[in-house]
Amino acid sequence: MSAAEAAAMRRALALAAGGPPHGPNPRVGCVLLGPHGDVLAEGRHEGAGTPHAEVAALAAARAAGRPTAGATAVVTLEPCRHTGRTGPCTRALVEAGVARVVAAVEDPGPRAGGGAEELRAAGVDVVVGHAREEAEALTRYWRHAVATGRPFVTLKWASTLDGRVAAPDGTSRWLTGAPARADVHRRRAGADAVVVGTGTALVDDPWLTTRDPGTDRPLPRQPLRTVVGRRPLPPGARLLDDAAETLLLPTHDVEAVLTALAEREVRHAWVEGGPTLAAAFLRAGAVDEVVAYLAPALLGGGPAVVADLGAVSVRDTVRLDLVSVETVGGDVALVARPRRGPARTSSTTSTTSTTSTTGTTAAAPASAPAGRTS
């Protein structure tokens, strides 16, 4: 790569980072360079149904009257080769006379992927792999969903140092301080859906909205509130208000929950349920990340963070690899990722029936995400 291409990739990554963090499609940025390394135009993907970054950059070059024949497209994701809500980027690049493509990372989608080979077959010089780590970080949740057919799952809890999420009388507000709660809202706002069990919904009566830490006002965009379990919510439950959409899933089957969320094009699910729901996701091997807030306090009794995982010996321990630890106010926020091994079998049963409730939507069968949908 030339120095101009390296600088263009840094700019493309910045463009991608400024794109919408939610929705079914990845964040992608593109910079077009002339034959002598001069910047012709740039673009980024603004969300489902809008032009992809490469097409947006080509349109900007045309609008500025700058020829693209012999140009280099520096893009954070391999150009797609399929027709969805928009046409294939590979064809647009070839028709524009682009001579070289520098992409940070491959597209893992079964339909959209393979664009590099298609471009090479058309005579375009293609290089893939520069700034791979940065590009993968920008598309982490999307890439996981495309590769696995299910959302990336973050399991969150707040507990005392002795692992209690509530006192023996059931009270749990507030174990952690205001800065930690504000951090939860910040992280929750980055998810497409927030998931709890009916037990948490009935005991805590939460809103599960994301709010501005300074004003406590709801943010303009809210994640899909998802309630798992067969017990009905009372008519006055906060989860049934109009602050955000709520999806009721009358099942205990984790796979059914993930399938329903995938059908809704959820790429990142934030699970905040209590010990029972946490254990169900862990037993199913469906947790990709744990975010734990630890308060420097002791209760000595009350429910533990996670219910029975079926462990009978230390050798059955679910091991996690530490990613980060930081102090948040007077508490500690810890991020870890489970070490992958054989999935544990869930002891819960499933139901395929769904019910519709006022202010809610019912689940539907899902298919695996195919990649970029526009």
Side-chain angles (χ1 to χ4, degrees):
M1 285 186 62
S2 67
E5 290 171 346
M9 182 61 79
R10 290 193 294 271
R11 175 58 183 162
L13 288 166
L15 287 168
H22 307 288
N25 287 354
R27 293 184 285 178
V28 183
C30 177
V31 175
L32 289 178
L33 298 178
H36 302 293
D38 52 312
V39 176
L40 301 177
E42 59 185 36
R44 72 176 170 214
H45 184 50
E46 298 290 354
T50 66
H52 287 184
E54 302 94 318
V55 174
L58 291 170
R62 286 193 297 269
R66 295 168 182 159
T68 56
T72 294
V74 179
V75 62
T76 59
L77 181 66
E78 176 188 18
C80 72
R81 62 177 178 85
H82 87 295
T83 299
R85 293 171 183 158
T86 60
C89 293
T90 51
R91 184 170 63 199
L93 291 167
V94 171
E95 290 176 351
V98 170
R100 177 172 163 87
V101 171
V102 178
V105 67
E106 297 85 359
D107 188 322
R111 289 188 300 171
E117 289 306 313
E118 187 169 297
L119 287 168
R120 290 188 182 107
V124 178
D125 181 30
V126 181
V127 176
V128 181
H130 180 75
R132 177 184 298 276
E133 186 175 341
E134 296 93 326
E136 287 182 344
L138 279 173
T139 57
R140 178 165 64 125
Y141 304 133
W142 173 80
R143 294 178 67 80
H144 179 279
V146 169
T148 66
R150 68 164 179 84
F152 183 97
V153 173
T154 297
L155 174 62
K156 170 265 175 184
W157 66 67
S159 74
T160 58
L161 284 182
D162 56 345
R164 306 294 177 172
V165 294
D169 65 358
T171 56
S172 59
R173 295 182 179 177
W174 294 103
L175 292 178
T176 55
R181 298 197 296 275
D183 194 60
V184 169
H185 279 279
R186 178 184 66 82
R187 294 178 189 262
R188 184 193 286 171
D192 300 309
V194 55
V195 185
V196 298
T198 51
T200 296
L202 293 171
V203 172
D204 292 345
D205 191 23
W207 274 292
L208 295 185
T209 54
T210 57
R211 299 184 290 279
D212 181 270
T215 64
D216 203 38
R217 294 175 181 172
L219 297 176
R221 181 259 170 205
Q222 295 292 331
L224 174 67
R225 301 182 296 190
T226 305
V227 184
V228 177
R230 299 193 184 97
R231 286 182 287 177
L233 301 183
R238 291 169 175 168
L239 285 169
L240 300 182
D241 65 16
D242 59 359
E245 184 181 3
T246 297
L247 177 66
L248 302 180
L249 298 176
T251 179
H252 293 156
D253 190 299
V254 171
E255 186 64 30
V257 173
L258 295 174
T259 298
L261 292 177
E263 173 66 19
R264 301 296 296 270
E265 296 187 320
V266 168
R267 302 309 200 207
H268 182 200
W270 176 265
V271 177
E272 287 197 20
T276 300
L277 192 66
F281 271 81
L282 287 166
R283 285 198 306 268
V287 174
D288 303 296
E289 179 180 72
V290 170
V291 177
Y293 293 88
L294 305 179
L298 303 171
L299 275 171
V305 166
V306 178
D308 183 17
L309 291 176
V312 296
S313 170
V314 171
R315 68 175 179 272
D316 300 322
T317 300
V318 178
R319 299 287 181 181
L320 298 90
D321 293 319
L322 194 61
V323 174
S324 66
V325 178
E326 61 180 303
T327 301
V328 183
D331 305 303
V332 172
L334 181 151
V335 179
R337 293 176 190 155
R339 297 176 187 172
R340 286 304 176 204
R344 291 166 177 257
T345 302
S346 174
S347 62
T348 57
T349 58
S350 65
T351 176
T352 56
S353 64
T354 60
T355 58
S356 175
T357 306
T358 302
T360 68
T361 55
S367 57
R372 287 183 277 183
T373 58
S374 69

mmCIF file of all heavy atoms in Angstrom, residues 21-56:
data_model
loop_
_atom_site.group_PDB
_atom_site.id
_atom_site.type_symbol
_atom_site.label_atom_id
_atom_site.label_comp_id
_atom_site.label_asym_id
_atom_site.label_seq_id
_atom_site.Cartn_x
_atom_site.Cartn_y
_atom_site.Cartn_z
ATOM 1 N N PRO A 21 -24.862 3.080 14.057
ATOM 2 C CA PRO A 21 -24.364 1.880 14.726
ATOM 3 C C PRO A 21 -25.389 0.757 14.823
ATOM 4 O O PRO A 21 -25.058 -0.336 15.266
ATOM 5 C CB PRO A 21 -24.003 2.394 16.126
ATOM 6 C CG PRO A 21 -24.941 3.542 16.345
ATOM 7 C CD PRO A 21 -25.141 4.181 14.999
ATOM 8 N N HIS A 22 -26.634 1.029 14.434
ATOM 9 C CA HIS A 22 -27.692 0.026 14.554
ATOM 10 C C HIS A 22 -28.221 -0.367 13.183
ATOM 11 O O HIS A 22 -27.884 0.239 12.177
ATOM 12 C CB HIS A 22 -28.825 0.563 15.420
ATOM 13 C CG HIS A 22 -28.373 1.067 16.750
ATOM 14 N ND1 HIS A 22 -27.950 0.229 17.754
ATOM 15 C CD2 HIS A 22 -28.243 2.320 17.228
ATOM 16 C CE1 HIS A 22 -27.598 0.948 18.800
ATOM 17 N NE2 HIS A 22 -27.756 2.212 18.502
ATOM 18 N N GLY A 23 -29.075 -1.364 13.188
ATOM 19 C CA GLY A 23 -29.675 -1.800 11.944
ATOM 20 C C GLY A 23 -29.020 -3.046 11.397
ATOM 21 O O GLY A 23 -28.008 -3.521 11.907
ATOM 22 N N PRO A 24 -29.574 -3.597 10.306
ATOM 23 C CA PRO A 24 -29.099 -4.890 9.799
ATOM 24 C C PRO A 24 -27.792 -4.829 9.039
ATOM 25 O O PRO A 24 -27.172 -5.865 8.815
ATOM 26 C CB PRO A 24 -30.242 -5.318 8.861
ATOM 27 C CG PRO A 24 -30.844 -4.026 8.388
ATOM 28 C CD PRO A 24 -30.755 -3.098 9.570
ATOM 29 N N ASN A 25 -27.356 -3.643 8.639
ATOM 30 C CA ASN A 25 -26.173 -3.533 7.788
ATOM 31 C C ASN A 25 -24.957 -3.036 8.551
ATOM 32 O O ASN A 25 -25.089 -2.359 9.570
ATOM 33 C CB ASN A 25 -26.458 -2.588 6.615
ATOM 34 C CG ASN A 25 -27.387 -3.219 5.596
ATOM 35 O OD1 ASN A 25 -27.734 -4.385 5.701
ATOM 36 N ND2 ASN A 25 -27.791 -2.445 4.611
ATOM 37 N N PRO A 26 -23.764 -3.322 8.027
ATOM 38 C CA PRO A 26 -22.527 -2.883 8.702
ATOM 39 C C PRO A 26 -22.221 -1.416 8.431
ATOM 40 O O PRO A 26 -22.729 -0.812 7.480
ATOM 41 C CB PRO A 26 -21.457 -3.782 8.073
ATOM 42 C CG PRO A 26 -21.980 -4.021 6.687
ATOM 43 C CD PRO A 26 -23.479 -4.130 6.834
ATOM 44 N N ARG A 27 -21.354 -0.856 9.251
ATOM 45 C CA ARG A 27 -20.838 0.492 9.020
ATOM 46 C C ARG A 27 -19.648 0.391 8.078
ATOM 47 O O ARG A 27 -18.687 -0.322 8.364
ATOM 48 C CB ARG A 27 -20.439 1.147 10.341
ATOM 49 C CG ARG A 27 -21.620 1.428 11.261
ATOM 50 C CD ARG A 27 -21.195 2.167 12.510
ATOM 51 N NE ARG A 27 -20.519 1.286 13.446
ATOM 52 C CZ ARG A 27 -20.005 1.692 14.618
ATOM 53 N NH1 ARG A 27 -20.071 2.973 14.949
ATOM 54 N NH2 ARG A 27 -19.419 0.843 15.419
ATOM 55 N N VAL A 28 -19.714 1.122 6.971
ATOM 56 C CA VAL A 28 -18.686 1.029 5.944
ATOM 57 C C VAL A 28 -18.351 2.435 5.450
ATOM 58 O O VAL A 28 -19.242 3.265 5.251
ATOM 59 C CB VAL A 28 -19.150 0.165 4.748
ATOM 60 C CG1 VAL A 28 -18.024 0.016 3.724
ATOM 61 C CG2 VAL A 28 -19.612 -1.201 5.230
ATOM 62 N N GLY A 29 -17.061 2.692 5.230
ATOM 63 C CA GLY A 29 -16.604 3.947 4.656
ATOM 64 C C GLY A 29 -15.751 3.695 3.436
ATOM 65 O O GLY A 29 -15.108 2.643 3.313
ATOM 66 N N CYS A 30 -15.730 4.652 2.495
ATOM 67 C CA CYS A 30 -14.966 4.499 1.261
ATOM 68 C C CYS A 30 -14.364 5.841 0.855
ATOM 69 O O CYS A 30 -15.011 6.885 0.965
ATOM 70 C CB CYS A 30 -15.877 3.988 0.140
ATOM 71 S SG CYS A 30 -15.077 3.833 -1.481
ATOM 72 N N VAL A 31 -13.131 5.809 0.384
ATOM 73 C CA VAL A 31 -12.449 6.986 -0.162
ATOM 74 C C VAL A 31 -11.936 6.628 -1.551
ATOM 75 O O VAL A 31 -11.288 5.586 -1.732
ATOM 76 C CB VAL A 31 -11.284 7.425 0.738
ATOM 77 C CG1 VAL A 31 -10.512 8.577 0.092
ATOM 78 C CG2 VAL A 31 -11.790 7.848 2.111
ATOM 79 N N LEU A 32 -12.233 7.476 -2.540
ATOM 80 C CA LEU A 32 -11.749 7.282 -3.901
ATOM 81 C C LEU A 32 -10.510 8.137 -4.129
ATOM 82 O O LEU A 32 -10.519 9.340 -3.836
ATOM 83 C CB LEU A 32 -12.832 7.679 -4.909
ATOM 84 C CG LEU A 32 -14.059 6.777 -5.037
ATOM 85 C CD1 LEU A 32 -15.029 7.369 -6.052
ATOM 86 C CD2 LEU A 32 -13.663 5.371 -5.442
ATOM 87 N N LEU A 33 -9.473 7.512 -4.630
ATOM 88 C CA LEU A 33 -8.227 8.204 -4.938
ATOM 89 C C LEU A 33 -8.003 8.244 -6.452
ATOM 90 O O LEU A 33 -8.286 7.254 -7.154
ATOM 91 C CB LEU A 33 -7.039 7.500 -4.287
ATOM 92 C CG LEU A 33 -7.019 7.412 -2.761
ATOM 93 C CD1 LEU A 33 -5.794 6.627 -2.315
ATOM 94 C CD2 LEU A 33 -7.035 8.789 -2.127
ATOM 95 N N GLY A 34 -7.476 9.362 -6.948
ATOM 96 C CA GLY A 34 -7.100 9.462 -8.344
ATOM 97 C C GLY A 34 -5.821 8.702 -8.617
ATOM 98 O O GLY A 34 -5.151 8.220 -7.692
ATOM 99 N N PRO A 35 -5.427 8.582 -9.890
ATOM 100 C CA PRO A 35 -4.210 7.839 -10.255
ATOM 101 C C PRO A 35 -2.949 8.348 -9.576
ATOM 102 O O PRO A 35 -1.979 7.602 -9.428
ATOM 103 C CB PRO A 35 -4.144 8.013 -11.774
ATOM 104 C CG PRO A 35 -5.566 8.265 -12.192
ATOM 105 C CD PRO A 35 -6.173 9.064 -11.072
ATOM 106 N N HIS A 36 -2.961 9.616 -9.155
ATOM 107 C CA HIS A 36 -1.779 10.190 -8.519
ATOM 108 C C HIS A 36 -1.929 10.302 -6.992
ATOM 109 O O HIS A 36 -1.144 10.990 -6.339
ATOM 110 C CB HIS A 36 -1.485 11.564 -9.116
ATOM 111 C CG HIS A 36 -1.262 11.538 -10.594
ATOM 112 N ND1 HIS A 36 -0.176 10.924 -11.172
ATOM 113 C CD2 HIS A 36 -2.024 12.026 -11.616
ATOM 114 C CE1 HIS A 36 -0.255 11.037 -12.483
ATOM 115 N NE2 HIS A 36 -1.359 11.703 -12.791
ATOM 116 N N GLY A 37 -2.937 9.624 -6.423
ATOM 117 C CA GLY A 37 -3.115 9.612 -4.982
ATOM 118 C C GLY A 37 -3.942 10.758 -4.437
ATOM 119 O O GLY A 37 -4.089 10.888 -3.210
ATOM 120 N N ASP A 38 -4.497 11.585 -5.299
ATOM 121 C CA ASP A 38 -5.347 12.690 -4.843
ATOM 122 C C ASP A 38 -6.732 12.168 -4.505
ATOM 123 O O ASP A 38 -7.222 11.228 -5.126
ATOM 124 C CB ASP A 38 -5.444 13.773 -5.915
ATOM 125 C CG ASP A 38 -5.865 13.201 -7.259
ATOM 126 O OD1 ASP A 38 -5.264 12.177 -7.675
ATOM 127 O OD2 ASP A 38 -6.783 13.738 -7.897
ATOM 128 N N VAL A 39 -7.373 12.767 -3.503
ATOM 129 C CA VAL A 39 -8.709 12.330 -3.083
ATOM 130 C C VAL A 39 -9.749 12.881 -4.050
ATOM 131 O O VAL A 39 -9.873 14.096 -4.233
ATOM 132 C CB VAL A 39 -9.017 12.795 -1.644
ATOM 133 C CG1 VAL A 39 -10.450 12.421 -1.265
ATOM 134 C CG2 VAL A 39 -8.032 12.176 -0.658
ATOM 135 N N LEU A 40 -10.508 11.967 -4.653
ATOM 136 C CA LEU A 40 -11.577 12.353 -5.580
ATOM 137 C C LEU A 40 -12.895 12.581 -4.856
ATOM 138 O O LEU A 40 -13.610 13.553 -5.132
ATOM 139 C CB LEU A 40 -11.761 11.274 -6.653
ATOM 140 C CG LEU A 40 -10.558 10.935 -7.526
ATOM 141 C CD1 LEU A 40 -10.907 9.802 -8.474
ATOM 142 C CD2 LEU A 40 -10.102 12.167 -8.291
ATOM 143 N N ALA A 41 -13.221 11.681 -3.955
ATOM 144 C CA ALA A 41 -14.501 11.762 -3.245
ATOM 145 C C ALA A 41 -14.492 10.743 -2.121
ATOM 146 O O ALA A 41 -13.594 9.891 -2.030
ATOM 147 C CB ALA A 41 -15.675 11.506 -4.189
ATOM 148 N N GLU A 42 -15.478 10.822 -1.283
ATOM 149 C CA GLU A 42 -15.627 9.858 -0.202
ATOM 150 C C GLU A 42 -17.114 9.623 0.071
ATOM 151 O O GLU A 42 -17.976 10.402 -0.340
ATOM 152 C CB GLU A 42 -14.927 10.342 1.066
ATOM 153 C CG GLU A 42 -15.442 11.668 1.585
ATOM 154 C CD GLU A 42 -14.650 12.185 2.778
ATOM 155 O OE1 GLU A 42 -13.414 11.995 2.825
ATOM 156 O OE2 GLU A 42 -15.281 12.788 3.679
ATOM 157 N N GLY A 43 -17.402 8.528 0.767
ATOM 158 C CA GLY A 43 -18.787 8.215 1.100
ATOM 159 C C GLY A 43 -18.851 7.179 2.196
ATOM 160 O O GLY A 43 -17.856 6.507 2.500
ATOM 161 N N ARG A 44 -20.021 7.053 2.790
ATOM 162 C CA ARG A 44 -20.242 6.005 3.782
ATOM 163 C C ARG A 44 -21.674 5.517 3.679
ATOM 164 O O ARG A 44 -22.555 6.188 3.136
ATOM 165 C CB ARG A 44 -19.952 6.518 5.193
ATOM 166 C CG ARG A 44 -20.979 7.492 5.746
ATOM 167 C CD ARG A 44 -20.641 7.858 7.178
ATOM 168 N NE ARG A 44 -21.462 8.954 7.673
ATOM 169 C CZ ARG A 44 -21.039 9.874 8.516
ATOM 170 N NH1 ARG A 44 -19.795 9.831 8.980
ATOM 171 N NH2 ARG A 44 -21.833 10.833 8.927
ATOM 172 N N HIS A 45 -21.899 4.342 4.234
ATOM 173 C CA HIS A 45 -23.239 3.766 4.235
ATOM 174 C C HIS A 45 -24.042 4.394 5.367
ATOM 175 O O HIS A 45 -23.605 4.420 6.516
ATOM 176 C CB HIS A 45 -23.144 2.255 4.418
ATOM 177 C CG HIS A 45 -24.464 1.555 4.338
ATOM 178 N ND1 HIS A 45 -25.346 1.762 3.299
ATOM 179 C CD2 HIS A 45 -25.052 0.660 5.158
ATOM 180 C CE1 HIS A 45 -26.418 1.014 3.490
ATOM 181 N NE2 HIS A 45 -26.276 0.346 4.609
ATOM 182 N N GLU A 46 -25.231 4.890 5.039
ATOM 183 C CA GLU A 46 -26.051 5.591 6.023
ATOM 184 C C GLU A 46 -27.193 4.747 6.568
ATOM 185 O O GLU A 46 -28.050 5.255 7.272
ATOM 186 C CB GLU A 46 -26.616 6.882 5.409
ATOM 187 C CG GLU A 46 -25.562 7.894 4.984
ATOM 188 C CD GLU A 46 -24.846 8.538 6.166
ATOM 189 O OE1 GLU A 46 -25.237 8.285 7.326
ATOM 190 O OE2 GLU A 46 -23.880 9.295 5.926
ATOM 191 N N GLY A 47 -27.224 3.451 6.251
ATOM 192 C CA GLY A 47 -28.259 2.592 6.799
ATOM 193 C C GLY A 47 -29.023 1.852 5.721
ATOM 194 O O GLY A 47 -28.874 2.124 4.513
ATOM 195 N N ALA A 48 -29.820 0.877 6.149
ATOM 196 C CA ALA A 48 -30.558 0.015 5.224
ATOM 197 C C ALA A 48 -31.381 0.833 4.235
ATOM 198 O O ALA A 48 -32.066 1.782 4.611
ATOM 199 C CB ALA A 48 -31.461 -0.928 6.010
ATOM 200 N N GLY A 49 -31.284 0.458 2.957
ATOM 201 C CA GLY A 49 -32.032 1.143 1.920
ATOM 202 C C GLY A 49 -31.300 2.292 1.275
ATOM 203 O O GLY A 49 -31.773 2.837 0.270
ATOM 204 N N THR A 50 -30.147 2.672 1.820
ATOM 205 C CA THR A 50 -29.365 3.772 1.246
ATOM 206 C C THR A 50 -28.179 3.205 0.470
ATOM 207 O O THR A 50 -27.801 2.042 0.662
ATOM 208 C CB THR A 50 -28.854 4.724 2.344
ATOM 209 O OG1 THR A 50 -27.909 4.031 3.168
ATOM 210 C CG2 THR A 50 -30.003 5.219 3.212
ATOM 211 N N PRO A 51 -27.565 4.011 -0.425
ATOM 212 C CA PRO A 51 -26.427 3.494 -1.199
ATOM 213 C C PRO A 51 -25.290 3.033 -0.291
ATOM 214 O O PRO A 51 -25.026 3.626 0.753
ATOM 215 C CB PRO A 51 -26.001 4.708 -2.034
ATOM 216 C CG PRO A 51 -27.222 5.563 -2.120
ATOM 217 C CD PRO A 51 -27.929 5.384 -0.810
ATOM 218 N N HIS A 52 -24.615 1.982 -0.731
ATOM 219 C CA HIS A 52 -23.427 1.532 -0.012
ATOM 220 C C HIS A 52 -22.330 2.571 -0.154
ATOM 221 O O HIS A 52 -22.387 3.464 -0.999
ATOM 222 C CB HIS A 52 -22.979 0.178 -0.539
ATOM 223 C CG HIS A 52 -23.879 -0.941 -0.115
ATOM 224 N ND1 HIS A 52 -23.631 -2.260 -0.408
ATOM 225 C CD2 HIS A 52 -25.034 -0.941 0.590
ATOM 226 C CE1 HIS A 52 -24.583 -3.029 0.088
ATOM 227 N NE2 HIS A 52 -25.452 -2.242 0.692
ATOM 228 N N ALA A 53 -21.310 2.439 0.687
ATOM 229 C CA ALA A 53 -20.263 3.458 0.752
ATOM 230 C C ALA A 53 -19.587 3.670 -0.597
ATOM 231 O O ALA A 53 -19.308 4.810 -0.996
ATOM 232 C CB ALA A 53 -19.236 3.057 1.805
ATOM 233 N N GLU A 54 -19.306 2.578 -1.320
ATOM 234 C CA GLU A 54 -18.638 2.706 -2.610
ATOM 235 C C GLU A 54 -19.497 3.484 -3.604
ATOM 236 O O GLU A 54 -19.010 4.354 -4.334
ATOM 237 C CB GLU A 54 -18.328 1.313 -3.181
ATOM 238 C CG GLU A 54 -17.474 0.446 -2.281
ATOM 239 C CD GLU A 54 -18.292 -0.469 -1.385
ATOM 240 O OE1 GLU A 54 -19.321 -0.004 -0.848
ATOM 241 O OE2 GLU A 54 -17.907 -1.637 -1.236
ATOM 242 N N VAL A 55 -20.792 3.161 -3.650
ATOM 243 C CA VAL A 55 -21.704 3.838 -4.574
ATOM 244 C C VAL A 55 -21.872 5.301 -4.186
ATOM 245 O O VAL A 55 -21.929 6.187 -5.052
ATOM 246 C CB VAL A 55 -23.057 3.109 -4.598
ATOM 247 C CG1 VAL A 55 -24.080 3.871 -5.442
ATOM 248 C CG2 VAL A 55 -22.880 1.689 -5.131
ATOM 249 N N ALA A 56 -21.906 5.568 -2.882
ATOM 250 C CA ALA A 56 -22.025 6.956 -2.420
ATOM 251 C C ALA A 56 -20.792 7.759 -2.823
ATOM 252 O O ALA A 56 -20.899 8.926 -3.235
ATOM 253 C CB ALA A 56 -22.206 6.988 -0.908
#
